[in-house]
Amino acid sequence: MASETTVTLGTSPTNLVLNPIHSSWILDGEPVARLELLSSSADGTASTYFWDCTAGRFNWFYSFDETFHILEGEVKLKYPSGTSHRVAAGDTVFFPAGSSAEWTVDRYVRKLAFCRTPVPRYLTIARQVARRLKRLARGGSGKDAGSGLL
């Protein structure tokens, strides 16, 4: 028997709520940031958001892995090394947990963000062991790994 799932459809951000940037991170201007939670994983380690922001310059510190895709506008990202990149609609960027960047938004930026809290190494190893044991119990081999889900 198949379990019932909920599928959410949507094409544009409609329920954006204020998501203030920490005041000590703001370097210039009065950027206004908003977000909309689109989905969360059952285990709470992953989520997807629409996020937008008006003009301003601010630091951003990542406590989780984030991959984002710019949907509209552009932003200049300056890394602690001093290197800068301008990313615009159509570009995708990955920031690992523990990284940071200075953001300069000239007018407006809107992104689709995929956020994931890294799992401790010992849990990753335990999951891999559980997957192998499950395959062995089914009579499968290491070559028949399937989708990679437990």
Side-chain angles (χ1 to χ4, degrees):
M1 173 188 280
S3 63
E4 188 172 326
T5 60
T6 302
V7 176
T8 305
L9 300 173
T11 57
S12 64
T14 56
N15 297 313
L16 292 165
V17 296
L18 287 177
N19 178 237
I21 297 167
H22 195 288
S23 61
S24 67
W25 295 5
I26 297 174
L27 304 171
D28 190 33
E30 296 179 18
V32 175
R34 304 177 305 164
L35 64 74
E36 177 183 1
L37 175 64
L38 300 176
S39 65
S40 286
S41 63
D43 64 4
T45 61
S47 52
T48 306
Y49 298 90
F50 278 128
W51 182 90
D52 72 357
C53 186
T54 61
R57 188 169 61 97
F58 50 89
N59 287 311
W60 200 269
F61 300 93
Y62 293 85
S63 60
F64 46 80
D65 293 341
E66 180 176 336
T67 301
F68 63 83
H69 184 80
I70 303 290
L71 300 171
E72 183 180 345
E74 62 182 31
V75 60
K76 177 181 154 190
L77 299 172
K78 182 178 177 183
Y79 310 110
S81 66
T83 304
S84 294
H85 289 98
R86 186 161 292 278
V87 293
D91 292 334
T92 302
V93 179
F94 171 71
F95 280 101
S99 61
S100 64
E102 178 183 298
W103 284 58
T104 302
V105 178
D106 291 328
R107 289 184 208 100
Y108 175 79
V109 66
R110 180 168 60 115
K111 68 181 181 178
L112 177 63
F114 305 95
C115 304
R116 183 182 147 289
T117 302
V119 176
R121 181 76 179 135
Y122 69 90
L123 289 178
T124 302
I125 292 168
R127 184 178 61 192
Q128 290 169 344
V129 169
R131 287 177 179 163
R132 287 186 188 121
L133 291 173
K134 189 174 181 179
R135 281 193 302 270
L136 288 173
R138 288 192 204 149
S141 68
K143 294 177 184 177
D144 183 25
S147 68
L149 301 176
L150 182 60

